[in-house]
Amino acid sequence: MAAGRARRLLGSLWIALLLGQPEPAGAAARSGSQSLLTGSLVRTFTPFYFLVEPMDVLSVRGASVIMNCSAHCETSPKIEWKKDGTFLNLVSDDRRQLLPDGSLLINSVVHSKHNKPDEGYYQCVATVESLGTIVSRTAKLTVAGLPRFTSQPESSSVYKGNSAILNCEVNVDLAPFVMWEQDRQPVFLDDRVFKLPSGALIISNATEMDGGLYRCVIESGGTPKYSDEAELKILPDPEVAQKLVLVRQPSSLTRVMGQSAVFPCVAVGFPTPSIRWTRNAEELITEGSERFLLLAGGSLEISDVSEEDVGMYTCIADNGNETIEAQAELTVQVPPEFLKRPANIYAHESMDIVFECEVTGKPTPTVKWVKNGDMVIPSDYFKIVKEHNLQVLGLVKSDEGFYQCIAENDVGNAQAGAQLIILDLDVAIPTLPPTSLTSATNDHLAPATTGPLPSAPRDVVATLVSTRFIRLTWRTPVSDPQGDNLTYSIFYTKEGINRERVENTSRPGETQVTIQNLMPETVYVFRVVAQNKHGPGESSAPLKVATQPEVQLPGPAPNIRAYASSPTSVTVTWETPLAGNGEIQNYKLYYMEKGQDTEQDVDVGGLSYTINGLKKYTEYSFRVVAYNKHGPGVSTQDVVVRTLSDVPSAPPQNLTLEVRNSKSIMLHWQPPPAGTHSGQITGYKIRYRKASRKSDVTESIGGTQLFQLIEGLERGTEYSFRVAALTVNGTGPATDWVSAETFESDLDETRVPEVPSSLHVRPLVTSIVVSWTPPENQNIVVRGYAIGYGIGSPHAQTIKVDYKQRYYTIENLDPSSHYVITLKAFNNVGEGIPLYESAVTRPHSVPDPSPMMPPVGVQASILSHDTIRITWADNSLPKNQKITDARYYTVRWKTNIPANTKYKTANATTLSYLVTGLKPNTLYEFSVMVTKGRRSSTWSMTAHGTTFELVPTSPPKDVTVVSKEGKPRTIIVNWQPPSEANGKITGYIIYYSTDVNAEIHDWVIEPVVGNRLTHQIQELTLDTPYYFKIQARNSKGMGPMSEAVQFRTPKASGSGGKGSRPVDIGADYKPPLGGSNSPHGSPTSPLDSSMLLVIIVSVGVITIVIVVIVAVFCTRRTTSHQKKKRAACKSVNGSHKYKGNSKDVKPPDLWIHHERLELKPIDKSPDPNPIMTDTPIPRNSQDITPVDNSMDSNIHQRRNSYRGHESEDSMSTLAGRRGMRPKMMMPFDSQPPQPVISAHPIHSLDNPHHHFHSGSLASPTRSYLHHQVNPWPIGTSMSHSDRANSTESVRNTPSTDTMPASLSQTCADHQDPESTAGSYLANAQEEDSGQNLPTAHVRPSHPLKSFAVPAVPPAGSTYDPALPSTPLLTQQAPNHPVHSVKTASIGTLGRTRPPMPVVVPSAPDVQETTRMLEDSESNYEPDELTKEMAHLEGLMKDLNAITTA
């Protein structure tokens, strides 16, 4: 209840204060009184102000003056006076005394020329003890000086009815004391006779009574002072008009608002003039106006002037005959007025406050602040902000008191004040309008409640220190670790200063603040206080932080001067900038030609510099920048100077001569080129002479005239002329001599010219070019030509041109319009006969817009087999390449085939485009153009891109099968590449079968390299239908198969006759017991059987003979040969170390050297398909003899794929074709289903690691390895990755780097016939060999056939060396006897020979073959054979050990 009554009482108190009403009973009425406010003590503001302030006073010497002053306060104030800022001691002053109300009385004002003790500025000072002091406005006391006349009246005469003016000019302060006398009698002023403020007397509408002697008198309290007397005569009206004259003109005035202004205007003349006025060129209405008065005689008086009266006033005198006028300007000044007065403020210590003060006036007032009567001097803590406001920073108790804003200008001053009360920290600031508080203190504190206060904030640190601000951070107090509801006050001060300032955080919980507006290189002390709802808590420990020093740069160099020292040089001087900013290291002088925008500079060490090489008589601007260790300082202002002038540096231009008649020649020229004048051209000098003489005549002309007529010449004489330009410095260079000859006789100008001899017109769109030739009669003067033209009529417009012109362009015509044109020659007599022509202007055509810049940087990024992304840049776009207009881009592309000219296009609005639907593995070219509106660019430079490959999407085409002539069991398959190869074809696979419906994995396959389009397949069954399919592959995979092509092999008739090649049925073939069937099961005739028997017997005999010869040859081998042979066998494991060094590889003794054998050279072609390169495998034939009954087939394969030596066809043998099912017919990339036992001799030029497939050789199982090897290492190596890639095309090709090729057959061992055998698939790829290797193709089908001497084959059975064959899989009958086989390579050592096919006769019967084998073995020496077999057994053990490892 009590608190509520207190709040109501406080509300009433503030309303009373604001409204100026008496305070309620019980409220405090004086300073220091107390009022109950929310339980705290608050002092109230005390009314303290001036009731009356002194005003400006004009006095005279000896008079008494009162300066009024009266102040109001509850406690009577003490009044004192200041004169010119110093307190007056009125106690001991006899003439000056203080009146009871506070006014100042000055008795008997003292004023003399050298003693003016009373004149000056007075100010009233009111003081209330323990409250404060206020000061009044200042009032000026002016004492009129001693009377003196600056001008005296002069005798004059005036016509009756006119106005007269008598001057009497005195010092301004005495002008009000001037009076006039006529004939020593006072002149009474009225509407007709009046005195100007300056003291002059004007008599209007003069009569005879106004004549007499006039004088002016000054009565200023002392002895009157009289001027000289002047007589005024009144003249009768003249009978003739008199000139109108203004005898007194208005002069410009400056008046203070509220004063009066008089513009005098006195005019005389006859008839008597009338006067009227205008303001700002508008008629001024004086009749009926309260403020504008037209005085007698025409002067204008303006009373109570305001700012609206400002302007230009014009007095216009008019007497009917003439008009004259005069102008004067009125300027109005306004004393200072307050728009916003300072307001009373409550505050706490350390706060920042602002007293606001807004004033107006004319001229603009200056503002100063006074605190308790003393001037406030701006400092770090007292600042004038926003021109007039006073900011006090970091309040202390002593800042309490009265603050006054004093505004002053030329015509007055005014003051307004407010009180500042500083409350204790525990007293809340009453909620007043917050306009007088800054943002730092704009938090009106809520009433405090009792409760725990926060402890001191922790860890106050300065996290950012700059030159003029510091950022502080801290942690919450221990008492409130969360601190969400805490606000903080940051108190700071300069070190050594007890005036603290405060900055508050902007929101609760914030633990950092940035203190702005600090001084550089100054130490500040900071402390932080937390505050909760109960009040402020403990302060943190003081933190000292020094701001950073500010980089001190030099100021501008003072007194910079520049002067031209010559026509091409300027000297610039300056002085050292003010000290204190560090030592000046050097200066940079900048200069620039006026009108240019590129500045040049030069480094200077001293205080002056002369710049040479400038243009003559040209303005330059100069400025200087000083440099110290911190860098460049402030630049000086520009100084402008012009270089000195000089004689012109170039002659005049375009000198032409025009012969006027027989005695005169007209010269025309142009000034020298711009930049060569070297000064102002003051004239030109003309020199001329007769061509036959050397002496010349000079004629100078002044000014800028660009022509001169030279007269007085002789008839029919040639003259030469030259012209030079002049400046004040002299004569420049002259032109070259130009000659012309005067006429022999003058032309006739007594008649008009004749018609021009021709007229031609050439119409354009909006213009017509007219050309003509002069009249044929050259004796009549032609002064020029008149061209008339118009639509339909030539008289619409006429243009005249000089007589020398022969063409003219008529401009600004309408398109597609019919114009008629006329041409006439004219002279001074008139125009001659016209010549007519007509023309039609061309239709309007819109010019093509200028092309745009084409896109640049076009790039093609391949994304897939059918997609390419095109990107580009546009130079006509900004740097960020952002498109903001409506431009678009057109992309075009086509395949890069010269015959293909058809483009595809697409539009894009961005800087990239995705081209789709392209063909795989195709090279495309792309280009781009940009279009914006009607403007387009040319096509950009092309970019190229090849799409990625894709598996073939169409099969090989045009598959044909034909039988080979003379070989009914051999067929040739031909085909063409797929139409959609989608990449480089790396190989083909030929599938064939006798059952078109068989599963594809049951078909026989033939791999073929990708650069071949034909292949031979041999040893087919006669009279049997075969079906063929072909599949192509590239680097991406296999394509589709072609349709099956059927082909029936021919019947057996004649196929087994003489010269036919026997069927290769393998070394282990055993015929069925039931009859004499062919190896393929087809019946044969008795004739065929007998022929076969003869052949077998013959071969057997030959073989026996050869074996005997070999045996004899072997027995004659020396012991050294046998040692070499053993060494070669023992080096099997290290064979890969022989890097193709042929001299290290010795052939075994069983090799047969056919020195007399002629080998046909076969051309080696370059490798057409490097992708197909497989591991470097020597070309050999391998017979892998199956020995297990569980195996489905006996793989008999022969390889002849020496690189470059493959012929146009390939041959295969298919043995045992019934029910065949090869095990290895699987896709290329898969693995074999079972281990495959096979050996591949690989030359050691490959990298030393062994490359194994999953079917590497098993443990010593017994299988016969028949190696036909090449003794020459192949000079090629291949990485693992290459081999891994290439093996995709070679299905299941086990390989071992085991035996050196040269030793393989001699190191063979007998193997168990029950050993598991696998299928070896021929590798049809080309070898990447780098050497031309000697090789022989041997196809052993019997253990002894390898020793047969090759005979010249019959014509019908030639083994075609151009057709490498791929033996097919042979199927064996169960329980077949096994025979050991020895093979040998036919070759030559020591020289390189091309390979030659070895023709091998067909095998005899099995029984006979066995017998021949036994016989041949018996021909060996027992000890030699034992040694050989031991070697072979050792080699095979090593081989098995390596392969099983």
Side-chain angles (χ1 to χ4, degrees):
M1 296 284 291
R5 283 196 303 272
R7 282 194 292 271
R8 286 195 297 274
L9 180 62
L10 179 65
S12 302
L13 171 63
W14 289 128
I15 293 173
L17 281 176
L18 294 174
L19 297 179
Q21 296 176 347
E23 295 174 1
R30 70 186 190 279
S31 175
S33 62
Q34 299 175 353
S35 175
L36 185 66
L37 178 65
T38 63
S40 299
L41 299 179
V42 175
R43 289 176 293 139
T44 58
F45 297 115
T46 303
F48 186 21
Y49 52 88
F50 284 102
L51 297 172
V52 179
E53 294 185 77
M55 303 298 291
D56 293 347
V57 176
L58 173 64
S59 178
V60 294
R61 189 175 45 168
S64 295
V65 175
I66 291 182
M67 310 292 286
N68 293 312
C69 177
S70 177
H72 165 75
C73 186
E74 298 163 353
T75 303
S76 292
K78 173 188 174 184
I79 301 296
E80 296 175 286
W81 282 88
K82 282 182 176 181
K83 176 181 179 290
D84 297 330
T86 303
F87 281 103
L88 293 175
N89 185 5
L90 302 178
V91 177
S92 59
D93 198 324
D94 296 334
R95 292 188 305 107
R96 290 180 285 207
Q97 65 185 62
L98 188 67
L99 299 181
D101 64 348
S103 298
L104 177 66
L105 171 63
I106 304 175
N107 292 306
S108 184
V109 171
V110 174
H111 191 81
S112 65
K113 184 176 182 180
H114 300 292
N115 184 25
K116 303 174 182 178
D118 296 332
E119 193 173 57
Y121 291 91
Y122 289 83
Q123 189 175 39
C124 178
V125 180
T127 304
V128 175
E129 286 297 331
S130 74
L131 182 62
T133 301
I134 57 176
V135 297
S136 71
R137 70 179 296 274
T138 56
K140 182 180 182 183
L141 170 60
T142 305
V143 180
L146 299 175
R148 63 182 183 277
F149 296 98
T150 56
S151 70
Q152 306 228 18
E154 295 179 356
S155 298
S156 61
S157 59
V158 64
Y159 289 107
K160 186 178 179 181
N162 275 339
S163 296
I165 182 165
L166 295 168
N167 288 319
C168 180
E169 303 291 340
V170 297
N171 37 334
V172 177
D173 47 7
L174 288 177
F177 303 102
V178 171
M179 299 177 63
W180 281 91
E181 293 180 350
Q182 178 187 7
D183 296 330
R184 307 288 176 98
Q185 296 296 320
V187 175
F188 295 100
L189 304 179
D190 54 20
D191 292 340
R192 192 179 66 84
V193 179
F194 66 94
K195 186 186 72 169
L196 293 177
S198 65
L201 181 70
I202 293 179
I203 303 172
S204 63
N205 193 16
T207 64
E208 294 178 356
M209 298 292 294
D210 295 323
L213 295 174
Y214 287 83
R215 68 177 181 178
C216 62
V217 57
I218 300 176
E219 294 183 350
S220 57
T223 304
K225 186 176 180 69
Y226 295 95
S227 71
D228 297 339
E229 288 188 325
E231 182 180 6
L232 176 64
K233 292 182 179 180
I234 306 300
L235 303 179
D237 291 340
E239 297 180 0
V240 295
Q242 298 293 321
K243 183 175 178 61
L244 193 58
V245 177
L246 281 174
V247 293
R248 183 63 180 259
Q249 297 186 9
S251 57
S252 294
L253 296 175
T254 297
R255 290 289 179 265
V256 178
M257 189 171 63
Q259 292 181 342
S260 295
V262 176
F263 284 115
C265 184
V266 179
V268 296
F270 188 80
T272 302
S274 62
I275 303 290
R276 56 190 175 90
W277 287 84
T278 64
R279 182 180 65 184
N280 297 331
E282 295 181 359
E283 194 74 26
L284 192 64
I285 307 299
T286 57
E287 292 183 9
S289 172
E290 296 180 356
R291 296 195 305 113
F292 295 97
L293 178 63
L294 191 61
L295 301 175
S299 296
L300 178 67
E301 182 180 9
I302 308 171
S303 58
D304 190 18
V305 297
S306 66
E307 290 188 89
E308 300 173 356
D309 299 329
V310 171
M312 187 68 70
Y313 289 81
T314 305
C315 164
I316 303 172
D318 184 5
N319 67 353
N321 293 334
E322 56 181 324
T323 301
I324 57 175
E325 61 182 47
Q327 289 184 331
E329 185 178 9
L330 174 62
T331 302
V332 176
Q333 294 181 325
V334 182
E337 292 183 11
F338 287 99
L339 301 178
K340 176 182 273 188
R341 292 172 176 268
N344 296 331
I345 294 178
Y346 278 121
H348 286 143
E349 282 191 85
S350 301
M351 277 188 175
D352 301 342
I353 62 164
V354 172
F355 283 110
E356 294 184 342
C357 178
E358 194 172 335
V359 297
T360 184
K362 191 174 183 181
T364 302
T366 60
V367 171
K368 60 184 179 181
W369 284 83
V370 171
K371 178 207 168 193
N372 289 333
D374 295 325
M375 182 77 68
V376 173
I377 299 173
S379 66
D380 291 343
Y381 296 95
F382 288 86
K383 297 182 178 181
I384 304 297
V385 295
K386 295 184 180 178
E387 297 184 5
H388 301 150
N389 298 341
L390 175 66
Q391 183 181 37
V392 185
L393 305 177
L395 291 175
V396 295
K397 193 70 176 176
S398 61
D399 291 334
E400 269 195 348
F402 284 89
Y403 290 80
Q404 288 176 279
C405 171
I406 298 179
E408 186 176 15
N409 65 6
D410 293 344
V411 292
N413 64 88
Q415 63 82 24
Q419 185 180 3
L420 169 65
I421 292 180
I422 296 181
L423 301 174
D424 295 335
L425 288 176
D426 58 346
V427 178
I429 294 177
T431 305
L432 286 175
T435 56
S436 60
L437 299 178
T438 66
S439 60
T441 60
N442 199 6
D443 47 352
H444 305 301
L445 305 178
T449 59
T450 57
L453 298 176
S455 59
R458 296 173 289 171
D459 303 338
V460 180
V461 293
T463 56
L464 183 60
V465 180
S466 180
T467 56
R468 293 184 180 271
F469 70 87
I470 291 177
R471 177 177 296 165
L472 294 179
T473 60
W474 58 89
R475 291 171 57 208
T476 55
V478 176
S479 62
D480 194 349
Q482 295 297 325
D484 294 337
N485 297 320
L486 295 182
T487 58
Y488 298 89
S489 297
I490 297 84
F491 297 89
Y492 63 99
T493 181
K494 287 184 184 178
E495 189 178 30
I497 304 292
N498 61 356
R499 180 181 289 274
E500 223 175 19
R501 297 184 57 189
V502 65
E503 184 82 25
N504 295 322
T505 54
S506 58
R507 59 182 181 274
E510 188 174 24
T511 58
Q512 72 169 19
V513 73
T514 300
I515 309 296
Q516 306 271 9
N517 302 318
L518 304 179
M519 299 299 294
E521 208 168 358
T522 305
V523 177
Y524 286 86
V525 181
F526 297 88
R527 62 186 183 91
V528 183
V529 175
Q531 185 169 292
N532 61 13
K533 61 182 179 180
H534 305 302
E538 296 179 29
S539 171
S540 66
L543 171 70
K544 291 186 180 181
V545 182
T547 51
Q548 298 285 340
E550 200 162 48
V551 173
Q552 296 292 319
L553 296 173
N559 299 329
I560 178 173
R561 294 184 178 87
Y563 59 91
S565 48
S566 77
T568 59
S569 63
V570 169
T571 299
V572 186
T573 63
W574 58 90
E575 295 177 6
T576 305
L578 298 177
N581 292 344
E583 182 183 356
I584 301 298
Q585 293 180 341
N586 70 306
Y587 299 89
K588 196 175 284 275
L589 172 61
Y590 295 88
Y591 63 98
M592 180 173 62
E593 182 182 344
K594 193 170 183 181
Q596 302 294 318
D597 54 0
T598 54
E599 204 171 33
Q600 296 174 277
D601 60 80
V602 62
D603 290 325
V604 183
L607 298 176
S608 66
Y609 190 78
T610 300
I611 300 175
N612 297 303
L614 304 179
K615 296 181 181 177
K616 298 177 181 178
Y617 198 67
T618 302
E619 277 193 339
Y620 287 87
S621 64
F622 300 88
R623 64 185 181 92
V624 174
V625 175
Y627 280 70
N628 65 8
K629 63 181 179 180
H630 301 297
V634 182
S635 172
T636 63
Q637 295 292 323
D638 287 0
V639 293
V640 179
V641 67
R642 185 188 293 273
T643 51
L644 299 179
S645 62
D646 198 1
V647 297
S649 56
Q653 306 177 89
N654 303 332
L655 173 62
T656 59
L657 306 181
E658 175 193 336
V659 180
R660 283 297 177 94
N661 50 43
S662 61
K663 294 185 178 181
S664 63
I665 294 178
M666 175 68 79
L667 280 71
H668 289 272
W669 62 88
Q670 293 296 319
T676 64
H677 293 189
S678 304
Q680 285 290 115
I681 300 293
T682 57
Y684 294 90
K685 182 180 290 185
I686 301 171
R687 293 174 179 266
Y688 65 95
R689 68 188 183 196
K690 291 182 182 178
S692 58
R693 295 188 180 180
K694 294 300 181 184
S695 60
D696 53 22
V697 178
T698 300
E699 185 170 328
S700 297
I701 58 171
T704 57
Q705 180 178 313
L706 299 177
F707 59 90
Q708 179 69 13
L709 181 65
I710 306 297
E711 299 183 293
L713 305 178
E714 298 179 8
R715 294 174 181 268
T717 305
E718 183 179 1
Y719 287 87
S720 297
F721 298 84
R722 67 192 305 181
V723 180
L726 302 175
T727 63
V728 294
N729 302 84
T731 306
T735 62
D736 294 332
W737 289 102
V738 181
S739 300
E741 186 177 350
T742 54
F743 297 142
E744 284 287 348
S745 60
D746 293 333
L747 298 179
D748 182 10
E749 201 172 0
T750 59
R751 51 186 174 143
V752 297
E754 294 184 358
V755 63
S757 54
S758 69
L759 173 62
H760 302 281
V761 294
R762 182 164 65 90
L764 302 175
V765 178
T766 60
S767 60
I768 296 177
V769 180
V770 183
S771 57
W772 63 88
T773 54
E776 293 181 358
N777 185 354
Q778 299 284 330
N779 295 323
I780 303 175
V781 174
V782 176
R783 298 292 180 188
Y785 297 91
I787 303 170
Y789 65 94
I791 298 178
S793 168
H795 307 300
Q797 292 191 13
T798 302
I799 296 168
K800 291 190 175 183
V801 298
D802 192 76
Y803 76 98
K804 298 190 299 297
Q805 257 185 266
R806 295 293 179 262
Y807 65 90
Y808 183 79
T809 302
I810 306 172
E811 303 281 358
N812 301 320
L813 304 181
D814 295 332
S816 304
S817 302
H818 185 275
Y819 283 88
V820 179
I821 298 158
T822 180
L823 177 70
K824 294 177 284 187
F826 66 88
N827 57 17
N828 292 334
V829 178
E831 294 179 345
I833 302 171
L835 195 59
Y836 291 91
E837 191 64 77
S838 63
V840 178
T841 51
R842 297 181 184 176
H844 181 71
S845 61
V846 180
D848 292 335
S850 59
M852 299 183 69
M853 293 286 292
V856 296
V858 181
Q859 293 184 342
S861 304
I862 293 87
L863 302 183
S864 69
H865 66 276
D866 65 346
T867 305
I868 294 181
R869 178 182 295 279
I870 307 302
T871 58
W872 59 89
D874 191 345
N875 277 346
S876 62
L877 288 176
K879 286 184 179 179
N880 61 5
Q881 292 286 289
K882 188 173 182 181
I883 301 173
T884 58
D885 48 26
R887 69 180 66 201
Y888 66 91
Y889 301 89
T890 303
V891 183
R892 71 172 183 180
W893 66 92
K894 75 176 184 69
T895 56
N896 193 21
I897 302 171
N900 181 20
T901 59
K902 186 176 181 181
Y903 284 95
K904 292 185 178 180
T905 60
N907 290 339
T909 56
T910 60
L911 296 177
S912 66
Y913 183 73
L914 207 63
V915 182
T916 58
L918 303 176
K919 295 179 181 179
N921 193 44
T922 305
L923 177 61
Y924 285 88
E925 66 176 39
F926 302 87
S927 53
V928 188
M929 68 182 288
V930 58
T931 302
K932 178 181 176 184
R934 296 179 54 253
R935 299 174 60 206
S936 295
S937 72
T938 56
W939 289 104
S940 69
M941 297 183 69
T942 57
H944 295 80
T946 303
T947 49
F948 293 149
E949 292 188 1
L950 185 67
V951 296
T953 52
S954 66
K957 57 185 180 181
D958 300 339
V959 180
T960 58
V961 183
V962 296
S963 64
K964 183 154 184 169
E965 186 176 357
K967 294 185 179 180
R969 300 176 68 178
T970 299
I971 60 99
I972 299 175
V973 184
N974 300 302
W975 65 93
Q976 291 299 317
S979 56
E980 297 175 4
N982 298 341
K984 184 177 180 66
I985 298 298
T986 57
Y988 297 94
I989 299 177
I990 302 174
Y991 297 79
Y992 63 99
S993 172
T994 56
D995 181 8
V996 73
N997 296 319
E999 293 292 333
I1000 193 62
H1001 57 77
D1002 290 334
W1003 291 50
V1004 184
I1005 67 166
E1006 290 285 333
V1008 183
V1009 293
N1011 63 336
R1012 302 186 55 81
L1013 297 175
T1014 181
H1015 188 68
Q1016 287 192 14
I1017 301 176
Q1018 58 182 356
E1019 305 299 344
L1020 300 181
T1021 307
L1022 297 177
D1023 195 19
T1024 302
Y1026 285 89
Y1027 298 92
F1028 297 87
K1029 295 183 180 180
I1030 302 185
Q1031 188 179 25
R1033 76 165 280 146
N1034 58 15
S1035 63
K1036 292 297 181 181
M1038 308 295 299
M1041 293 185 186
S1042 65
E1043 292 293 326
V1045 176
Q1046 182 182 6
F1047 181 78
R1048 178 177 287 273
T1049 52
K1051 295 186 178 180
S1053 60
S1055 63
K1058 183 180 180 181
S1060 65
R1061 178 173 176 162
V1063 178
D1064 185 358
I1065 58 174
D1068 304 323
Y1069 177 70
K1070 179 178 180 181
L1073 300 175
S1076 62
N1077 287 341
S1078 71
H1080 294 279
S1082 60
T1084 52
S1085 62
L1087 183 60
D1088 292 337
S1089 299
S1090 61
M1091 180 64 71
L1092 183 62
L1093 184 60
V1094 171
I1095 292 173
I1096 291 172
V1097 172
S1098 302
V1099 170
V1101 172
I1102 295 171
T1103 302
I1104 292 171
V1105 172
I1106 292 174
V1107 169
V1108 171
I1109 295 172
V1110 169
V1112 173
F1113 178 75
C1114 289
T1115 57
R1116 294 181 181 179
R1117 284 293 201 187
T1118 63
T1119 305
S1120 63
H1121 282 126
Q1122 293 176 0
K1123 289 180 181 179
K1124 292 178 183 178
K1125 180 175 63 179
R1126 291 189 193 103
C1129 288
K1130 290 177 182 178
S1131 64
V1132 167
N1133 292 336
S1135 63
H1136 60 280
K1137 299 178 183 177
Y1138 294 96
K1139 300 292 182 180
N1141 199 352
S1142 60
K1143 64 185 175 62
D1144 296 334
V1145 184
K1146 299 300 182 180
D1149 292 340
L1150 293 181
W1151 285 13
I1152 301 172
H1153 297 263
H1154 297 277
E1155 299 293 344
R1156 298 181 304 277
L1157 192 63
E1158 288 293 321
L1159 300 180
K1160 295 183 179 180
I1162 300 174
D1163 292 336
K1164 176 180 177 182
S1165 61
D1167 181 13
N1169 187 9
I1171 300 177
M1172 297 295 290
T1173 303
D1174 196 5
T1175 49
I1177 303 172
R1179 300 307 178 221
N1180 55 48
S1181 297
Q1182 299 184 5
D1183 293 342
I1184 302 176
T1185 308
V1187 294
D1188 197 293
N1189 292 341
S1190 65
M1191 300 303 292
D1192 289 339
S1193 63
N1194 171 28
I1195 303 174
H1196 182 159
Q1197 291 203 332
R1198 180 180 178 280
R1199 290 273 295 145
N1200 177 22
S1201 52
Y1202 173 61
R1203 174 175 177 168
H1205 291 192
E1206 292 207 39
S1207 62
E1208 31 186 67
D1209 301 310
S1210 298
M1211 305 196 315
S1212 289
T1213 302
L1214 180 58
R1217 303 186 190 281
R1218 264 190 229 102
M1220 67 177 179
R1221 180 165 179 162
K1223 289 293 182 184
M1224 304 309 294
M1225 301 307 160
M1226 61 180 67
F1228 269 15
D1229 296 331
S1230 65
Q1231 292 295 326
Q1234 299 179 24
V1236 176
I1237 301 174
S1238 175
H1240 235 306
I1242 305 269
H1243 272 281
S1244 59
L1245 289 178
D1246 200 354
N1247 83 36
H1249 303 285
H1250 299 301
H1251 184 63
F1252 291 106
H1253 284 268
S1254 59
S1256 298
L1257 282 173
S1259 61
T1261 56
R1262 298 205 288 165
S1263 141
Y1264 290 97
L1265 303 177
H1266 303 268
H1267 289 269
Q1268 158 112 14
V1269 296
N1270 181 359
W1272 304 105
I1274 297 171
T1276 306
S1277 65
M1278 203 176 177
S1279 69
H1280 260 317
S1281 61
D1282 294 336
R1283 288 201 290 171
N1285 291 336
S1286 63
T1287 52
E1288 288 184 8
S1289 303
V1290 183
R1291 291 188 285 178
N1292 310 300
T1293 308
S1295 60
T1296 56
D1297 295 349
T1298 54
M1299 290 173 31
S1302 58
L1303 304 176
S1304 59
Q1305 78 270 19
T1306 60
C1307 298
D1309 194 7
H1310 295 284
Q1311 300 290 327
D1312 192 347
E1314 277 77 21
S1315 171
T1316 303
S1319 299
Y1320 171 69
L1321 179 64
N1323 180 355
Q1325 300 179 354
E1326 289 192 307
E1327 196 66 24
D1328 195 6
S1329 171
Q1331 300 184 15
N1332 189 7
L1333 304 180
T1335 178
H1337 302 285
V1338 178
R1339 183 186 177 86
S1341 57
H1342 188 275
L1344 300 179
K1345 281 186 181 179
S1346 60
F1347 298 98
V1349 178
V1352 179
S1357 62
T1358 303
Y1359 179 64
D1360 192 344
L1363 299 174
S1365 63
T1366 308
L1368 287 175
L1369 308 170
T1370 59
Q1371 179 154 346
Q1372 299 296 327
N1375 304 320
H1376 212 287
V1378 180
H1379 305 278
S1380 65
V1381 176
K1382 295 181 181 179
T1383 61
S1385 289
I1386 300 174
T1388 57
L1389 287 176
R1391 68 172 69 101
T1392 300
R1393 290 180 180 271
M1396 175 184 174
V1398 178
V1399 179
V1400 182
S1402 58
D1405 267 347
V1406 176
Q1407 294 85 357
E1408 187 178 352
T1409 304
T1410 305
R1411 187 171 58 252
M1412 293 166 61
L1413 176 61
E1414 293 167 354
D1415 295 341
S1416 65
E1417 286 176 342
S1418 66
N1419 289 331
Y1420 282 89
E1421 289 292 332
D1423 56 340
E1424 290 183 6
L1425 288 176
T1426 302
K1427 293 177 182 178
E1428 290 292 330
M1429 294 308 296
H1431 291 319
L1432 291 174
E1433 187 175 358
L1435 283 174
M1436 287 311 299
K1437 286 180 181 179
D1438 293 342
L1439 172 65
N1440 287 331
I1442 293 171
T1443 55
T1444 53

